[in-house]
Amino acid sequence: MNGLEIRELECFLALSEELHFGRAGERLYVSQSRVSQLLAALERRIGARLVERTSRRVRLTPLGESFLTELRPAYEQLTSTVERARAAARGVEGTLRIGFQGTADARLMEAIAAFQERHPGCATEIVEVPFADPFGAVRQGEVDAAIVLLPVAEPDLVLGPVFSSERQTVAVSVRHAFAGRASLAAAELRGTPLIAATGPAPAYWRTAHAPSDTPAPAVRTLQEGLTLVAADRGAMLLCRPTAEYHGRKDVVFVPVDGLPDSVLGMVWHRDGETARVREFARALSGAAAGAVTGEA
C-alpha cells in the first residue's frame, strides 16, 4: 500500500462507469494515455488485471468487478469525510445553484428559505431545467442539484429527498371530448395522443410521462406542449400544482384516476456532492416532512 495514489483509484472508478478510455479521460481532465498509465500503475500495485481492453470494447475483469464493489463505498466515504472537514473549517459558503423542472412550488421555496436561514453565508441561485432534458444541467455542471420529475434511473446521479406526490391531470383543449369530464380513468388515455418530451430525456422517463400507444408531437418545453394542447394536437399529463400554475382559458385540466402520482426528487452528480448539496437535501427533507405532518 506504500505510495497509493488516489488518482489511480479515481481513474479506475471513472473507467468502470464510462467503459471508454477517452470519456474517462474527459471526466478527469487528462489524456487517454494518462488514463492508461494510471490504470497500469494500479494493476501493478494490485498484481492482476482489473480491466480487459480490446479494439471493440472495454470491460472489467471478475477481479475488477469485485474490486469496484468494495472500492466505491470506501471512496465515497473518504471523499465525504474530507468534504465534511473542509465544510467544518470554512462553513457552508459560496453559491448553491438549484435547478427545477416544471414549477418551483411552495415546498421548494420553503426548503430554500430554511437553507438560507441556517447558512446565511451561502447564496442560492434558482435555474429552470428544460422539460426535455431533466438531467443535463446537473451533468454539465450548470447546477449543483436539480428538482426533477421521477423516475430517475441514472447510474451517475444520486437521488436524494423525494417529495410532492401529486395526483396527475391531463391537459386537453376546450374542444376535446374529455373537456367536460370531471375525471378520467387511466385506461381511457390509451388511445389518446399524449405529448411527450423530445431530445436528451431518456426513453424510460419520456414513457413514464406519456404512457400512450398513439403517436403525438414531441416538444422541448412545457409551453410548447401546452400550445399544442390548445391547438388540439394532443393531450399532456401534468401534476396538479403545475396545471394550476399554467392555467389558461383554452386548456382544461382533467384529473386522472389510476395513474401513479407525479413525484419530485432532488438529484445531484455522484462526483459533485458537497456540503452545500447535503445541507440543502437536509432542508428539503425537513420541508417535505413538514408537509406530511401538517407543520408547514
Side-chain angles (χ1 to χ4, degrees):
M1 291 297 291
N2 289 342
L4 179 63
E5 293 284 344
I6 193 70
R7 198 62 165 164
E8 295 172 7
L9 302 179
E10 291 173 340
C11 170
F12 174 74
L13 288 169
L15 191 57
S16 70
E17 293 179 3
E18 298 292 346
L19 296 179
H20 189 281
F21 279 72
R23 290 196 296 271
E26 290 174 2
R27 278 182 56 173
L28 298 173
Y29 299 100
V30 299
S31 66
Q32 183 171 327
S33 62
R34 182 57 177 157
V35 173
S36 298
Q37 292 170 3
L38 289 167
L39 175 64
L42 180 61
E43 290 179 330
R44 284 195 301 272
R45 194 182 303 280
I46 290 175
R49 297 285 299 275
L50 299 173
V51 175
E52 292 179 351
R53 181 182 185 181
T54 69
S55 58
R56 292 190 175 184
R57 66 178 180 176
V58 175
R59 67 179 181 182
L60 300 184
T61 66
L63 177 61
E65 294 281 5
S66 176
F67 182 58
L68 175 64
T69 299
E70 295 188 43
L71 174 62
R72 179 172 282 142
Y75 177 80
E76 290 176 352
Q77 182 177 2
L78 175 62
T79 54
S80 295
T81 300
V82 173
E83 183 59 37
R84 284 195 297 271
R86 292 177 60 195
R90 70 179 187 275
V92 178
E93 299 177 346
T95 300
L96 177 68
R97 299 162 299 168
I98 307 163
F100 70 93
Q101 188 183 32
T103 304
D105 68 2
R107 202 60 49 196
L108 173 58
M109 302 312 294
E110 288 171 14
I112 291 173
F115 175 83
Q116 290 279 209
E117 184 176 353
R118 291 175 191 158
H119 307 288
C122 184
T124 53
E125 294 180 359
I126 308 173
V127 181
E128 185 172 2
V129 173
F131 172 68
D133 191 10
F135 313 125
V138 172
R139 287 193 169 121
Q140 293 159 19
E142 296 172 2
V143 297
D144 300 296
I147 309 302
V148 300
L149 287 163
L150 269 56
V152 176
E154 306 299 298
D156 60 331
L157 301 183
V158 176
L159 175 60
V162 172
F163 65 105
S164 193
S165 179
E166 297 283 353
R167 185 182 186 187
Q168 296 207 60
T169 69
V170 62
V172 296
S173 165
V174 292
R175 303 187 299 278
H176 194 279
F178 292 157
R181 298 280 297 275
S183 64
L184 296 173
E188 296 180 81
L189 296 178
R190 289 175 186 163
T192 302
L194 291 178
I195 295 168
T198 187
Y204 73 85
W205 190 91
R206 296 196 302 268
T207 300
H209 297 285
S212 173
D213 298 329
T214 305
V219 298
R220 291 186 176 275
T221 70
L222 191 57
Q223 289 302 325
E224 286 178 12
L226 288 172
T227 299
L228 289 176
V229 168
D232 207 14
R233 297 278 302 281
M236 193 172 190
L237 286 175
L238 297 172
C239 69
R240 182 181 54 80
T242 300
E244 292 174 352
Y245 182 82
H246 291 281
R248 46 190 292 173
K249 294 180 179 179
D250 49 2
V251 173
V252 175
F253 299 95
V254 184
V256 181
D257 298 320
L259 284 180
D261 285 351
S262 173
V263 182
L264 295 175
M266 176 182 169
V267 297
W268 61 87
H269 201 279
R270 289 192 180 278
D271 296 336
E273 183 170 321
T274 64
R276 292 189 295 271
V277 169
R278 286 194 297 272
E279 283 299 300
F280 184 74
R282 179 184 165 209
L284 189 57
S285 294
V292 172
T293 60
E295 294 174 4

